[in-house]
Coordinates of all heavy atoms in Angstrom, one line a residue:
P1471 N 3.4 -18.4 -14.0 CA 2.3 -17.9 -13.3 C 1.5 -16.9 -14.1 O 0.3 -16.6 -13.8 CB 2.9 -17.3 -12.0 CG 4.3 -17.8 -11.9 CD 4.7 -18.2 -13.3
F1472 N 2.2 -16.2 -15.0 CA 1.5 -15.2 -15.8 C 1.0 -15.9 -17.2 O 1.6 -15.7 -18.2 CB 2.4 -14.0 -16.2 CG 2.9 -13.3 -15.0 CD1 3.9 -12.3 -15.1 CD2 2.4 -13.5 -13.7 CE1 4.4 -11.6 -14.0 CE2 2.9 -12.7 -12.6 CZ 3.9 -11.8 -12.8
D1473 N 0.0 -16.7 -17.1 CA -0.5 -17.4 -18.2 C -2.0 -17.2 -18.5 O -2.7 -18.0 -19.0 CB -0.2 -18.9 -18.1 CG -1.1 -19.6 -17.1 OD1 -1.7 -18.9 -16.2 OD2 -1.3 -20.8 -17.2
V1474 N -2.5 -16.0 -18.0 CA -3.9 -15.7 -18.1 C -4.2 -15.0 -19.4 O -3.5 -14.1 -19.8 CB -4.3 -14.7 -16.9 CG1 -5.7 -14.2 -17.1 CG2 -4.1 -15.5 -15.6
V1475 N -5.2 -15.5 -20.1 CA -5.5 -14.9 -21.4 C -6.6 -13.9 -21.3 O -6.8 -13.0 -22.2 CB -6.0 -16.0 -22.5 CG1 -4.9 -16.9 -22.9 CG2 -7.2 -16.7 -21.9
G1476 N -7.3 -13.9 -20.2 CA -8.3 -12.8 -19.9 C -8.9 -13.0 -18.6 O -8.8 -14.1 -17.9
Y1477 N -9.5 -11.9 -18.1 CA -10.3 -12.0 -16.8 C -11.3 -10.8 -16.8 O -11.1 -9.9 -17.5 CB -9.3 -11.9 -15.6 CG -8.7 -10.6 -15.4 CD1 -9.3 -9.6 -14.5 CD2 -7.5 -10.3 -16.0 CE1 -8.7 -8.4 -14.3 CE2 -6.9 -9.0 -15.7 CZ -7.5 -8.1 -14.9 OH -6.9 -6.9 -14.7
D1478 N -12.2 -11.0 -15.9 CA -13.0 -9.8 -15.5 C -13.4 -9.9 -14.1 O -13.3 -10.9 -13.4 CB -14.3 -9.7 -16.5 CG -15.3 -10.7 -16.1 OD1 -15.0 -11.8 -15.5 OD2 -16.5 -10.5 -16.5
G1479 N -13.9 -8.7 -13.5 CA -14.3 -8.7 -12.2 C -13.8 -7.4 -11.5 O -13.5 -6.4 -12.1
Y1480 N -13.8 -7.5 -10.2 CA -13.5 -6.3 -9.3 C -12.2 -6.5 -8.6 O -11.7 -5.5 -7.9 CB -14.6 -6.1 -8.3 CG -15.9 -5.5 -8.9 CD1 -16.6 -6.1 -9.9 CD2 -16.4 -4.3 -8.3 CE1 -17.7 -5.5 -10.4 CE2 -17.6 -3.8 -8.8 CZ -18.2 -4.4 -9.9 OH -19.4 -3.8 -10.3
N1481 N -11.6 -7.7 -8.6 CA -10.4 -7.9 -7.8 C -9.2 -7.9 -8.7 O -8.9 -8.8 -9.4 CB -10.5 -9.3 -7.1 CG -9.5 -9.6 -6.1 OD1 -9.0 -8.6 -5.4 ND2 -9.1 -10.8 -6.0
Y1482 N -8.4 -6.8 -8.6 CA -7.2 -6.6 -9.4 C -6.3 -5.5 -8.8 O -6.8 -4.7 -8.0 CB -7.5 -6.3 -10.9 CG -8.5 -5.2 -11.0 CD1 -8.1 -3.8 -11.1 CD2 -9.9 -5.4 -11.1 CE1 -8.9 -2.8 -11.2 CE2 -10.8 -4.3 -11.3 CZ -10.3 -3.0 -11.3 OH -11.2 -2.0 -11.4
P1483 N -5.0 -5.5 -9.1 CA -4.2 -4.4 -8.5 C -4.5 -3.1 -9.2 O -5.0 -3.1 -10.4 CB -2.8 -4.9 -8.9 CG -3.0 -5.7 -10.1 CD -4.3 -6.4 -10.0
Y1484 N -4.3 -2.0 -8.5 CA -4.5 -0.7 -9.2 C -3.5 0.3 -8.5 O -2.9 0.1 -7.5 CB -5.9 -0.2 -9.0 CG -6.4 0.0 -7.6 CD1 -6.4 1.3 -7.1 CD2 -6.9 -1.0 -6.8 CE1 -6.8 1.6 -5.8 CE2 -7.4 -0.8 -5.6 CZ -7.3 0.5 -5.0 OH -7.8 0.7 -3.8
A1485 N -3.4 1.5 -9.2 CA -2.5 2.5 -8.7 C -3.2 3.9 -8.6 O -4.2 4.1 -9.4 CB -1.3 2.7 -9.7
F1486 N -2.8 4.7 -7.7 CA -3.3 6.0 -7.6 C -2.2 6.9 -7.1 O -1.4 6.6 -6.2 CB -4.4 6.0 -6.5 CG -4.9 7.4 -6.0 CD1 -5.5 8.2 -6.9 CD2 -4.7 7.8 -4.7 CE1 -5.9 9.5 -6.5 CE2 -5.1 9.1 -4.3 CZ -5.7 9.9 -5.2
S1487 N -2.0 8.1 -7.8 CA -1.0 9.0 -7.5 C -1.4 9.9 -6.4 O -2.5 10.5 -6.5 CB -0.5 9.8 -8.7 OG 0.4 10.8 -8.3
I1488 N -0.5 10.1 -5.4 CA -0.8 11.1 -4.3 C -1.0 12.5 -4.9 O -1.7 13.3 -4.4 CB 0.2 11.1 -3.2 CG1 -0.3 11.8 -2.0 CG2 1.6 11.6 -3.7 CD1 0.6 11.6 -0.7
H1489 N -0.3 12.7 -6.1 CA -0.4 14.0 -6.7 C -1.8 14.3 -7.3 O -2.1 15.4 -7.7 CB 0.7 14.2 -7.8 CG 2.1 13.9 -7.3 ND1 2.6 14.6 -6.2 CD2 3.0 13.0 -7.6 CE1 3.8 14.2 -6.0 NE2 4.1 13.1 -6.8
D1490 N -2.6 13.2 -7.5 CA -4.0 13.4 -8.0 C -5.0 13.5 -6.9 O -6.2 13.6 -7.2 CB -4.3 12.2 -8.9 CG -3.6 12.2 -10.2 OD1 -3.3 13.3 -10.7 OD2 -3.3 11.1 -10.8
F1491 N -4.6 13.5 -5.6 CA -5.5 13.7 -4.5 C -5.9 15.2 -4.4 O -5.0 16.1 -4.3 CB -4.8 13.3 -3.2 CG -5.8 13.3 -2.0 CD1 -6.5 12.1 -1.7 CD2 -6.0 14.4 -1.3 CE1 -7.3 12.1 -0.6 CE2 -6.8 14.4 -0.2 CZ -7.5 13.3 0.2
E1492 N -7.2 15.5 -4.6 CA -7.6 16.9 -4.5 C -7.9 17.3 -3.1 O -8.9 16.8 -2.5 CB -8.9 17.1 -5.4 CG -8.6 16.9 -6.9 CD -7.6 17.8 -7.4 OE1 -7.4 19.0 -6.9 OE2 -6.8 17.4 -8.4
P1493 N -7.1 18.2 -2.5 CA -7.3 18.5 -1.1 C -8.6 19.2 -0.8 O -9.1 20.0 -1.6 CB -6.1 19.4 -0.7 CG -5.7 20.0 -2.0 CD -6.0 19.0 -3.1
I1494 N -9.2 18.9 0.4 CA -10.4 19.6 0.8 C -10.0 20.6 1.9 O -9.3 20.3 2.9 CB -11.4 18.6 1.4 CG1 -11.9 17.6 0.4 CG2 -12.6 19.3 2.1 CD1 -12.6 16.4 0.9
T1495 N -10.3 21.9 1.6 CA -9.8 23.0 2.6 C -11.0 23.7 3.1 O -12.2 23.6 2.6 CB -8.9 24.0 1.9 OG1 -9.6 24.5 0.7 CG2 -7.6 23.3 1.4
G1496 N -10.8 24.6 4.1 CA -11.9 25.3 4.7 C -11.5 26.6 5.4 O -10.3 26.9 5.3
R1497 N -12.4 27.3 6.0 CA -12.1 28.6 6.6 C -11.3 28.3 7.9 O -10.5 29.2 8.2 CB -13.4 29.3 7.0 CG -14.0 30.0 5.8 CD -14.6 31.4 6.1 NE -15.3 31.6 7.4 CZ -15.4 32.8 8.0 NH1 -14.9 33.8 7.4 NH2 -16.1 32.9 9.1
I1498 N -11.6 27.2 8.6 CA -10.8 26.9 9.8 C -10.2 25.5 9.5 O -10.5 24.8 8.6 CB -11.6 26.9 11.1 CG1 -12.8 26.0 10.9 CG2 -12.1 28.4 11.3 CD1 -13.6 25.8 12.2
H1499 N -9.3 25.1 10.4 CA -8.5 23.9 10.3 C -9.4 22.7 10.0 O -10.3 22.4 10.8 CB -7.7 23.6 11.5 CG -6.7 22.5 11.3 ND1 -5.4 22.7 10.7 CD2 -6.7 21.2 11.6 CE1 -4.8 21.6 10.7 NE2 -5.5 20.7 11.2
Q1500 N -9.1 21.9 9.0 CA -9.9 20.7 8.7 C -9.2 19.5 9.3 O -8.0 19.4 9.3 CB -9.9 20.5 7.1 CG -10.6 21.7 6.4 CD -12.1 21.7 6.7 OE1 -12.8 20.8 6.4 NE2 -12.5 22.8 7.3

Side-chain angles (χ1 to χ4, degrees):
F1472 300 168
D1473 74 338
V1474 172
V1475 292
Y1477 71 93
D1478 74 338
Y1480 283 56
N1481 189 32
Y1482 51 85
Y1484 65 95
F1486 169 64
S1487 172
I1488 195 170
H1489 306 300
D1490 286 331
F1491 187 94
E1492 295 301 329
I1494 296 169
T1495 58
R1497 280 220 323 156
I1498 58 171
H1499 190 85
Q1500 298 293 299

